[in-house]
Amino acid sequence: MPSFSDLAVGAPTDLCFGRAPVPLRTRRGLVIGGGAVWPELNFTLPPMLVEAATMPHILDQYRQIITDALARAVELHQTGIVVEFETLPPMTDNPQWAIDITAVLNDAMEQAFVRHGLKSALRITPNDTREFDRPPVLRHGAHWENMLRTFEGCARAGAELLSIESVGGKEIHDDALTMADLPAVIFALCVLGVRDMRFLWTALRDIAARTGTICAGDSACGFGNTAMVLAEQNMIPRVFAAVVRAVSAVRSLVAFECGAVGPGKDCAYENPILKAITGFPMAMEGKTAACAHRSPLGNIAAAACDTWSNESVQNVRLLGGMAPTCYLEQLIYDCRLMNQALAEGPQAAAALQRWLVQSDAPLDPQAYILSPECAVAVARSIVSAPDHYRAGKTAALTAIALLRQGLAAGRLAISERERPWLDAMQSAVESMPDDETTFIGQMTAALDPGVWLPEQYGL
Amino acid sequence: MSQLQALCDAIIKADRNSLPEALRLTREALAAGIDRKAIADAMVKAMDEVGRRFQCNQLFVPELLIAKRAMERALELLGDTGVKPLLTAVIGTVQGDLHDIGKNLVAGMWKCANFKVIDLGTNVAPEKFVQAAKENNADIVGLSALLTTTMPAMKTTIEALRKEGLNNVKVIIGGAPITQEYADQIGATGFAPDAASAVAAVRKMMNLGA
């Protein structure tokens, strides 16, 4: 199992879109991170029930989505595309439904490859349904078994990239967010989340080995993105969400420690930090994902991307056509621009990277913390730590220091209302014990035992 | 009365000192012989102000919850004060859906607004909503969904409530894909576009004033 003790990308200017030190080549010849950015299309169903009776109609929906989208990609002279099939919970609990949809998508992608030379890869992202049980049962039971069956069945049906938005630790993290409790955030992400990720991704690595597929990556979506959305709604401070993002990289890194090689999951906005550590290609989403959720990261998210995603869009009709096809068109044009910059050479790519960063970074702490300089600094702090717990602490303190420096230098705007939170967060982290065992004892005593099951984390 | 004003101020301040200060000042007020209901009324008034400041973006949720916790713990010192909740609400994330942070926020804000809240959690079947609404004589049922594919469970739940004769129970719905049009379409009484507006939406729905 690799552990990362140094950075794969140490210079901020090298943390650039389209270029990863360790590119990935897929079955149909798509090279991700090898000098070009590819669109990654995601979609979901319009309001409708997912049940046995509706499955024929659902298969028709997915068939129409992929057929229209691939046809448009060909019309636009696109030569490569990643498609993500993120299942809906009933599909993960009924693996054959997900497998049937995977086959529909993969067949269309194979046909487009054979007929038009359109290179592609299919990412499968089953739901982490383990949280259907409260407290979550993470290591056994029907949800765990069905989730793994979905992974394996979809992998055998043509999905090539295995991803998930795993939820271990979320039952603690949700309350930690609403209380802006940074030690509890670190406990959820870097103690519980890390342990769950190790267990989960070891199982996924075995499935990938059996099926000849690729472990791509995880996401702290239920953690960092929840913080981001709450901050966007003025529920919690933006500086807090920015620090949560930095800490979340420690948890998401575990997928790569267990054998994932990218492209990291699109909604993992912590991916620039992970790219700096691992050198693997990363999916990102930003302005072209506004159909799914708001963010203050529309441009800066693209600065280090290797695939560029729309996150998710309902299959509804817009004036320009069905929404997934319209969004693919937008993604393709976004990618064309980045690829033209890459084609014109390092200076052009660096200029576009700078514009993507500087158009967002000064305006929001969450954007600022993802600037290449900050991402590399946080990444360096993580790899210098002796374990995940202390990596979480140092990532938090590094992020706080970076925000302070940005504010002091006039490179970052932080509202007056938010500034006291920097002191509060620093004080909270500095009051945490040095060793994880003591910390686990403190947190276990303080947390509601009805909310989580320590044995599900091997504690 | 300066003691009660100090108690109000401690809650409204909504910081790490709010809880110990609220407890200390409540004990002092009791020792001074101030009427229990007057003390409780002062705390409810303080939470109204906290809610107002939250609505005006002067406070974050963690501060709102700190104030709420301070008030709840201080109220425990008073025993039965005769202060009754404004209404009873049942809330849950509908069947098939696990997303609950928005629902949790709404539940917390309703509690801050002196609503009695029965939180059924996530993935809640229609019959559970019916049972809880009956058992608690609920005035309001709140339904949350984040997925487009679980929105239909809202309609099913409303139908189950009406089928069981709970026609006077008002139903408010919310979640990322939810719109006023959808609320109208499935027969919900109301809609809250986000957690922050859920208190005002219920107050309006129940004619409780602003």
Side-chain angles (χ1 to χ4, degrees):
Chain A
M1 188 176 295
S3 61
F4 298 93
S5 57
D6 203 355
L7 298 185
V9 182
T13 49
D14 292 340
L15 195 61
C16 186
F17 52 85
R19 294 193 310 244
V22 191
L24 176 73
R25 188 180 184 87
T26 68
R27 287 176 193 151
R28 296 188 187 102
L30 196 65
V31 178
I32 302 172
V37 180
W38 304 106
E40 178 161 349
L41 179 65
N42 302 259
F43 34 76
T44 191
L45 295 170
M48 63 187 300
L49 286 171
V50 179
E51 55 189 15
T54 58
M55 276 311 293
H57 179 44
I58 287 171
L59 285 168
D60 285 344
Q61 286 262 337
Y62 280 101
R63 191 176 289 110
Q64 174 264 314
I65 290 170
I66 195 69
T67 304
D68 283 6
L70 294 177
R72 188 64 183 143
V74 170
E75 288 166 6
L76 290 172
H77 312 288
Q78 184 66 22
T79 58
I81 178 175
V82 175
V83 172
E84 180 184 16
F85 169 35
E86 190 168 329
T87 67
L88 292 157
M91 299 169 186
T92 307
D93 279 341
N94 296 274
Q96 192 57 48
W97 298 354
I99 293 165
D100 291 347
I101 295 167
T102 298
V104 164
L105 297 173
N106 188 60
D107 286 352
M109 292 164 72
E110 181 64 21
Q111 283 182 33
F113 177 59
V114 171
R115 290 180 187 166
H116 306 289
L118 180 62
K119 298 172 184 173
S120 62
L122 178 59
R123 184 196 298 267
I124 179 68
T125 306
N127 310 94
D128 193 344
T129 48
R130 298 174 298 166
E131 65 170 336
F132 264 103
D133 292 311
R134 298 292 173 98
V137 177
L138 300 168
R139 299 189 170 193
H140 59 85
H143 291 305
W144 167 253
E145 297 294 334
N146 282 328
M147 190 174 78
L148 294 188
R149 283 192 197 104
T150 301
F151 267 112
E152 182 143 1
C154 293
R156 294 191 188 284
E160 186 174 6
L161 308 172
L162 309 185
S163 280
I164 190 167
E165 300 173 6
S166 67
V167 296
K170 189 170 179 296
E171 69 274 33
I172 301 299
H173 196 266
D174 281 351
D175 280 349
L177 280 185
T178 53
M179 291 304 294
D181 182 345
L182 198 48
V185 164
I186 292 173
F187 183 70
L189 288 169
C190 304
V191 176
L192 303 185
V194 161
R195 282 166 171 75
D196 180 58
M197 291 266 295
R198 267 197 217 115
F199 184 84
L200 171 63
W201 279 93
T202 300
L204 297 185
R205 184 182 56 192
D206 292 345
I207 289 173
R210 284 199 298 273
T211 57
T213 52
I214 295 163
C215 283
D218 207 311
S219 165
C221 183
F223 305 83
N225 294 1
T226 302
M228 179 173 72
V229 170
L230 291 177
E232 282 295 291
Q233 295 175 354
N234 290 313
M235 299 277 182
I236 63 173
R238 289 167 186 271
V239 290
F240 187 81
V243 174
V244 170
R245 179 68 64 197
V247 175
S248 76
V250 177
R251 175 190 171 281
S252 298
L253 179 63
V254 176
F256 300 101
E257 292 172 341
C258 292
V261 294
K265 181 84 172 70
D266 56 354
C267 57
Y269 284 96
E270 62 274 19
N271 275 345
I273 301 167
L274 300 175
K275 185 171 178 178
I277 295 173
T278 67
F280 295 132
M282 297 292 159
M284 292 296 293
E285 62 188 43
K287 57 181 176 283
T288 318
C291 51
H293 61 78
R294 298 176 188 178
S295 88
L297 313 169
N299 287 330
I300 198 169
C305 74
D306 298 289
T307 71
W308 183 236
S309 157
N310 66 313
E311 215 296 306
S312 186
V313 68
Q314 293 181 57
N315 188 36
V316 294
R317 178 164 290 283
L318 306 177
L319 288 176
M322 297 306 285
T325 301
C326 295
Y327 275 81
L328 177 61
E329 180 165 320
Q330 291 184 0
L331 293 171
I332 286 171
Y333 283 108
D334 290 341
C335 291
R336 276 190 195 176
L337 183 64
M338 289 186 271
N339 291 335
Q340 183 61 31
L342 286 165
E344 290 190 15
Q347 283 188 326
L352 180 53
Q353 181 207 37
R354 189 172 65 252
W355 296 336
L356 290 167
V357 170
Q358 286 305 316
S359 55
D360 286 348
L363 302 175
D364 192 293
Q366 299 171 88
Y368 185 80
I369 212 68
L370 294 183
S371 65
E373 290 78 9
C374 290
V376 167
V378 172
R380 200 179 299 284
S381 76
I382 290 172
V383 297
S384 67
D387 56 45
H388 294 93
Y389 166 62
R390 282 176 280 189
K393 283 180 66 181
T394 192
L397 291 172
T398 301
I400 294 165
L402 290 164
L403 296 176
R404 286 189 197 281
Q405 291 160 14
L407 176 66
R411 294 194 301 268
L412 167 64
I414 299 178
S415 70
E416 291 283 350
R417 179 188 176 206
E418 296 221 348
R419 292 178 194 179
W421 285 86
L422 295 171
D423 291 338
M425 288 191 290
Q426 181 160 343
S427 171
V429 177
E430 287 175 346
S431 70
M432 293 166 66
D434 288 335
D435 73 291
E436 187 189 49
T437 305
T438 305
F439 182 58
I440 291 171
Q442 287 178 358
M443 294 302 296
T444 303
L447 291 170
D448 178 354
V451 173
W452 67 300
L453 299 170
E455 66 271 21
Q456 294 300 315
Y457 297 95
L459 292 173
Chain B
M1 284 301 110
S2 63
Q3 276 171 311
L4 294 187
Q5 187 57 52
L7 176 57
C8 273
D9 292 345
I11 292 171
I12 291 168
K13 202 170 177 197
D15 65 12
R16 66 169 70 176
N17 293 321
S18 290
L19 175 57
E21 278 296 286
L23 293 175
R24 181 181 68 79
L25 290 162
T26 302
R27 289 192 184 101
E28 286 181 9
L30 285 169
I34 298 175
D35 176 62
R36 287 168 189 268
K37 184 164 186 312
I39 301 171
D41 285 343
M43 289 192 221
V44 171
K45 186 178 146 201
M47 276 310 295
D48 283 346
E49 175 61 15
V50 169
R52 189 195 67 77
R53 292 186 183 195
F54 176 74
Q55 287 286 338
C56 297
N57 285 334
Q58 293 173 13
L59 291 176
F60 292 111
V61 165
E63 295 157 329
L64 183 76
L65 296 179
I66 284 170
K68 176 172 88 74
R69 186 174 293 177
M71 183 190 76
E72 285 174 347
R73 293 283 301 280
L75 277 174
E76 287 172 8
L77 296 177
L78 302 180
D80 185 8
T81 60
V83 174
K84 302 293 181 200
L86 286 173
L87 54 83
T88 299
V90 167
I91 191 169
T93 303
V94 297
Q95 192 162 42
D97 206 319
L98 295 171
H99 297 88
D100 64 352
I101 198 157
K103 181 265 297 172
N104 293 344
L105 286 168
V106 172
M109 287 173 195
W110 282 356
K111 287 177 187 171
C112 290
N114 194 26
F115 301 174
K116 179 184 175 187
V117 178
I118 295 95
D119 186 345
L120 302 179
T122 60
N123 188 28
V124 180
E127 53 269 27
K128 279 194 178 175
F129 279 107
V130 170
Q131 183 185 353
K134 281 183 175 174
E135 286 177 0
N136 295 282
N137 197 22
D139 303 291
I140 293 281
V141 170
L143 307 178
S144 172
L146 190 77
L147 301 173
T148 53
T149 50
T150 53
M151 290 166 64
M154 291 179 152
K155 181 171 186 282
T156 312
T157 303
I158 293 172
E159 288 170 352
L161 289 165
R162 301 311 181 217
K163 188 179 172 188
E164 289 296 316
L166 297 168
N167 297 313
N168 294 326
V169 176
K170 294 186 165 47
V171 179
I172 182 168
I173 67 173
I178 308 302
T179 61
Q180 181 65 56
E181 289 73 22
Y182 186 70
D184 296 341
Q185 185 187 325
I186 66 173
T189 323
F191 156 70
D194 51 52
S197 62
V199 170
V202 169
R203 291 187 72 93
K204 183 179 175 191
M205 194 184 288
M206 299 298 290
N207 297 315
L208 294 172

